[in-house]
């Protein structure tokens, strides 16, 4: 009987051990892991649903990435808006320069833009439009030199100029400046020596705004860096002629004949952008 009792106690103790601390701890651990996994799964599910909701609201598609790509594609096809001040600036320009032909210079501005891009792409400053200043030619030459030093080529394909307007008109002494802005779409990208794209996207259009400055001075290349133009004086009394386009001396009334080296010249082209090209 004692042996049986001892045996029963042994088996009871073993059973307690097998169903006691170790299994319960393991079960608790597994339960905790399962709870954490469920919480994570629920959180992921809610986040995904939230992203889908945001994507549907913003882009009309369940895929946020696809929505961003669609938005990017739409923006690449949408012309940039312009800060157009033509209606305010043009009357002032025509008051100072009655012979100024806005439509003619708007077309010339677009010709300058195309020649600017073509000159850089072909790495040939001589392709610039004839009414460009030496300062603009030097600027293009500098860009070409920088491209060559890096082994790069700048590409402007399928250029479309959507619209051109006057943005600013200023006068300073013997100098007048008109800034045209143009909304331009093109496939603009930079390639290295083996043709790999290092900047921009070959298959995505770029919509940009370019500023083209037109300057009226006695010699545009003498004021390329913002210095004042050469002044002129009345041939009768010697008084300074302060206003561009002035036909009579305001002191003695003598008629003024403008010096024939005065001319409109395109002095600069600049792209409005917040990014920096790699050249």
């Amino acid at each position: 009987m004692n042996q049986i009792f001892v045996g029963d106690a042994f088996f009871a103790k073993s059973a307690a051990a097998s169903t006691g601390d170790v299994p319960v701890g393991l079960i608790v651990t597994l339960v905790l892991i399962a709870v954490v996994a469920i919480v994570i799964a629920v959180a992921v599910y809610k986040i995904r649903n939230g992203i889908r909701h945001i994507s549907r609201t913003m882009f009309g598609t369940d895929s946020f990435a696809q929505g961003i790509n669609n938005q990017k594609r739409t923006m690449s096809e949408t012309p940039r808006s312009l800060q157009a001040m033509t209606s305010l600036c043009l009357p002032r320009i025509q008051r100072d320069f009655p012979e100024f032909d806005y439509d003619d210079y708007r077309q010339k501005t677009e010709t300058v833009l195309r020649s600017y891009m073509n000159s850089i792409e072909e790495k040939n400053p001589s392709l610039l439009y004839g009414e460009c200043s030496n300062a603009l030619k030097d600027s293009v030459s500098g860009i070409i030199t920088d491209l060559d030093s890096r082994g790069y080529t700048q590409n402007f394909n399928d250029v479309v100029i959507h619209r051109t307007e006057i943005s600013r008109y200023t006068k300073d002494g013997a100098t007048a400046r008109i800034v045209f802005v143009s909304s331009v779409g093109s496939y603009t990208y930079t390639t290295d020596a083996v043709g790999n794209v290092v900047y921009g996207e070959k298959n995505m259009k770029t919509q940009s705004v370019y500023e083209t400055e037109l300057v009226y001075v006695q010699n545009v290349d003498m004021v390329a860096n913002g210095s004042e133009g050469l002044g002129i004086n009345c041939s009768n009394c010697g008084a300074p002629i302060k206003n561009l386009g002035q036909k009579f001396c305001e002191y003695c009334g003598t008629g003024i004949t403008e010096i024939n080296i005065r001319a409109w010249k395109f002095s600069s082209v600049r792209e409005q952008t917040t990014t920096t090209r790699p050249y």
Side-chain angles (χ1 to χ4, degrees):
M1 291 294 293
N2 289 337
Q3 290 180 347
I4 295 174
F5 177 78
V6 171
D8 290 343
F10 174 78
F11 284 115
K13 186 175 181 180
S14 299
S18 65
T19 60
D21 295 340
V22 176
V24 171
L26 180 60
I27 291 171
V28 171
T29 301
L30 292 174
V31 169
L32 289 174
I33 292 173
V35 170
V36 172
I38 291 171
V39 170
I40 293 174
V42 170
V44 170
Y45 176 77
K46 288 184 176 181
I47 291 172
R48 286 181 175 175
N49 273 353
I51 292 175
R52 289 194 190 98
H53 177 71
I54 293 172
S55 181
R56 290 193 196 104
T57 302
M58 294 178 62
F59 308 119
T61 178
D62 287 344
S63 171
F64 198 77
Q66 181 183 352
I68 291 176
N69 287 333
N70 290 345
Q71 184 73 8
K72 188 176 180 181
R73 179 71 63 178
T74 299
M75 291 179 64
S76 76
E77 299 292 338
T78 304
R80 290 273 304 276
S81 59
L82 298 176
Q83 185 181 7
M85 302 294 287
T86 304
S87 60
L88 295 177
C89 294
L90 188 55
R92 294 170 51 208
I93 296 170
Q94 292 179 331
R95 182 175 64 247
D96 294 336
F97 303 96
E99 72 283 1
F100 183 84
D101 188 330
Y102 167 67
D103 290 330
D104 180 45
Y105 275 101
R106 179 169 52 82
Q107 292 175 6
K108 286 181 178 180
T109 297
E110 296 183 356
T111 300
V112 168
L113 264 179
R114 292 183 184 279
S115 72
Y116 173 83
M117 295 177 181
N118 192 33
S119 296
I120 293 173
E121 186 170 36
E122 298 296 328
K123 297 184 177 180
N124 184 357
S126 67
L127 297 178
L128 272 173
Y129 181 62
E131 294 183 24
C132 293
S133 70
N134 289 335
L136 182 50
K137 293 175 184 177
D138 290 342
S139 174
V140 169
S141 295
I143 292 173
I144 293 171
T145 298
D146 198 8
L147 285 167
D148 282 338
S149 69
R150 298 169 184 263
Y152 290 163
T153 298
Q154 180 62 35
N155 301 273
F156 298 97
N157 295 333
D158 297 334
V159 177
V160 177
I161 301 177
H162 304 291
R163 182 184 170 201
T164 297
E165 298 280 352
I166 295 175
S167 175
R168 296 190 301 276
Y169 171 57
T170 58
K171 289 194 304 180
D172 179 15
T175 305
R177 301 176 187 272
I178 301 173
V179 176
F180 287 89
V181 285
S182 301
S183 178
V184 181
S186 65
Y187 291 94
T188 302
Y189 56 94
T190 308
T191 52
D192 60 18
V194 294
N196 295 322
V197 176
V198 296
Y199 177 83
E201 296 185 49
K202 197 171 186 177
N203 299 314
M204 184 79 73
K205 270 190 176 181
T206 299
Q207 298 293 337
S208 301
V209 172
Y210 281 84
E211 291 185 356
T212 305
E213 186 177 67
L214 180 64
V215 179
Y216 182 83
V217 289
Q218 286 178 297
N219 186 334
V220 70
D221 297 312
M222 296 185 69
V223 293
N225 297 317
S227 58
E228 294 184 357
L230 299 174
I232 58 174
N233 299 83
C234 173
S235 59
N236 181 49
C237 69
I241 304 303
K242 299 178 181 179
N243 297 320
L244 290 168
Q246 186 173 327
K247 304 303 181 184
F248 298 92
C249 174
E250 62 184 18
Y251 294 96
C252 69
T254 301
I256 302 300
T257 302
E258 293 187 83
I259 301 174
N260 59 12
I261 60 172
R262 283 181 176 271
W264 289 104
K265 287 279 190 176
F266 291 94
S267 61
S268 68
V269 174
R270 184 180 71 86
E271 182 184 8
Q272 293 181 355
T273 179
T274 57
T275 59
T276 304
R277 297 189 189 279
Y279 57 80

